Amino acid sequence: MKRNRQEIDFDQCKRHKKDELHAKIADNCIKLDSLNRLKSDFYDQSCLDLCKHLIGKYMIRKYEDESSSSKYTVGRIVEVEAYTGKDDPASHSFKKQTDRNKAMFMKPGTAYVYNIYGCYCCINISSKEPGAAVLIRALEPVYGLDLMTQNKNSLSKGKSKNSNEKNLTNGPSKLCMSFKISKSLFNQVDLATSENIWFQDKINDDGESVGKSEFKIQCAKRIGIDYAGPEAANKLWRFYIKDNKYVSIVSKDSIDF
């Protein structure tokens, strides 16, 4: 009996379990191919709009091992924050362009990776306005959990190695450790052309983008920016998927977007 395409694709996904394929990848059948990436024009929108449109997209990190075979880690974006540049006291680019924040002034879709506390990193994506960027705050692990755990444990610097699934990517520095993202590797990288890190839609069997009907977005105050003053601190510029357990902090004051 002739089998339909969906059954064949699902079986192909299952066969990849030998490559530590997470069960969710079989459900989504994501095509891990940089040709399916979000293109430059996607990032060419206002910071706040980019925030909302990045929710639910997938971050793909590609690695090459010594045998030149590819390995991947994949996470769905569940939480982001907006930093709008010169009009935002909480933004690194609030006063002027510097060597540190240069990526925030580069073309939309440029990675801005910076170090915090001397040993951790955060990844941001530049948007349309000069000096504006979106901070990726949390991901839902989808693919390559064993590799995420290995990456995070190798960078924990002797501290407690809590590698349960939720703890891998429920924070901006945690996800950078789990995806092996560093300033030296990815700061100022064009996410529309990089072969080692990119973003893409959830793809169905027909290769079409799937919408956001399966989740709701909430907005809340940003985290850890009280130094910027009450006006900036009170802006509801953090966006996350409602009731998603991988969100870093669920605010009691959040509202449906």
Side-chain angles (χ1 to χ4, degrees):
M1 182 175 69
K2 187 176 180 180
R3 304 172 68 193
N4 64 43
R5 179 182 174 185
Q6 185 174 4
E7 291 174 329
I8 294 171
D9 284 352
F10 186 78
D11 283 350
Q12 287 174 341
C13 283
K14 289 195 294 184
R15 281 199 293 272
H16 283 293
K17 283 186 180 287
K18 65 182 181 181
D19 296 323
E20 300 175 355
L21 185 63
H22 192 272
K24 291 178 183 176
I25 205 74
D27 295 333
N28 295 328
C29 279
I30 300 171
K31 295 178 175 62
L32 299 179
D33 184 346
S34 61
L35 296 177
N36 292 306
R37 71 170 72 240
L38 299 175
K39 305 299 193 295
S40 293
D41 57 351
F42 173 84
Y43 302 103
D44 192 17
Q45 53 185 309
S46 74
C47 188
L48 290 170
D49 285 341
L50 183 59
C51 266
K52 301 159 196 173
H53 294 144
L54 277 169
I55 294 286
K57 296 296 190 287
Y58 288 80
M59 185 165 78
I60 317 296
R61 173 76 164 91
K62 181 180 178 181
Y63 312 80
E64 300 288 344
D65 64 19
E66 293 180 356
S67 63
S68 297
S69 62
S70 299
K71 293 183 178 180
Y72 300 88
T73 49
V74 180
R76 183 172 72 146
I77 299 174
V78 298
E79 182 183 1
V80 296
E81 285 181 342
Y83 290 90
T84 58
K86 63 181 181 180
D87 62 344
D88 180 10
S91 175
H92 288 178
S93 56
F94 173 53
K95 291 186 177 181
K96 61 181 179 179
Q97 180 177 334
T98 64
D99 288 341
R100 182 195 188 201
N101 66 28
K102 182 179 178 180
M104 301 179 77
F105 293 86
M106 296 173 71
K107 63 173 286 191
T110 299
Y112 170 45
V113 183
Y114 61 86
N115 297 327
I116 58 172
Y117 306 124
C119 58
Y120 300 114
C121 295
C122 295
I123 184 169
N124 305 254
I125 305 171
S126 66
S127 60
K128 186 174 185 176
E129 313 95 319
V134 175
L135 171 66
I136 308 300
R137 275 202 63 88
L139 301 172
E140 177 179 351
V142 172
Y143 179 108
L145 269 72
D146 286 351
L147 184 52
M148 291 184 206
T149 301
Q150 177 183 321
N151 289 341
K152 188 169 183 290
N153 286 345
S154 69
L155 295 172
S156 292
K157 300 185 181 298
K159 297 188 172 83
S160 175
K161 297 183 178 181
N162 185 354
S163 57
N164 66 71
E165 181 178 325
K166 180 180 177 181
N167 196 56
L168 287 170
T169 54
N170 64 340
S173 292
K174 292 178 184 179
L175 69 88
C176 282
M177 287 193 288
S178 295
F179 277 65
K180 213 166 187 179
I181 294 170
S182 66
K183 181 177 180 180
S184 61
L185 285 176
F186 293 117
N187 189 44
Q188 300 184 16
V189 163
D190 185 352
L191 296 167
T193 60
S194 172
E195 290 298 318
N196 296 108
I197 187 169
W198 67 89
F199 295 82
Q200 67 182 63
D201 270 326
K202 178 178 177 180
I203 305 298
N204 67 15
D205 289 330
D206 293 323
E208 297 175 349
S209 298
V210 176
K212 295 187 174 66
S213 58
E214 74 273 19
F215 60 80
K216 294 182 179 180
I217 298 176
Q218 291 192 304
C219 51
K221 297 177 183 179
R222 294 173 291 181
I223 304 299
I225 61 160
D226 289 344
Y227 63 86
E231 183 178 353
N234 288 325
K235 290 185 181 298
L236 303 182
W237 283 358
R238 182 164 64 99
F239 304 89
Y240 56 81
I241 294 180
K242 185 177 183 178
D243 298 326
N244 186 284
K245 70 178 183 178
Y246 299 97
V247 171
S248 64
I249 297 175
V250 176
S251 174
K252 296 180 180 179
D253 300 322
S254 63
I255 61 173
D256 289 343
F257 175 73

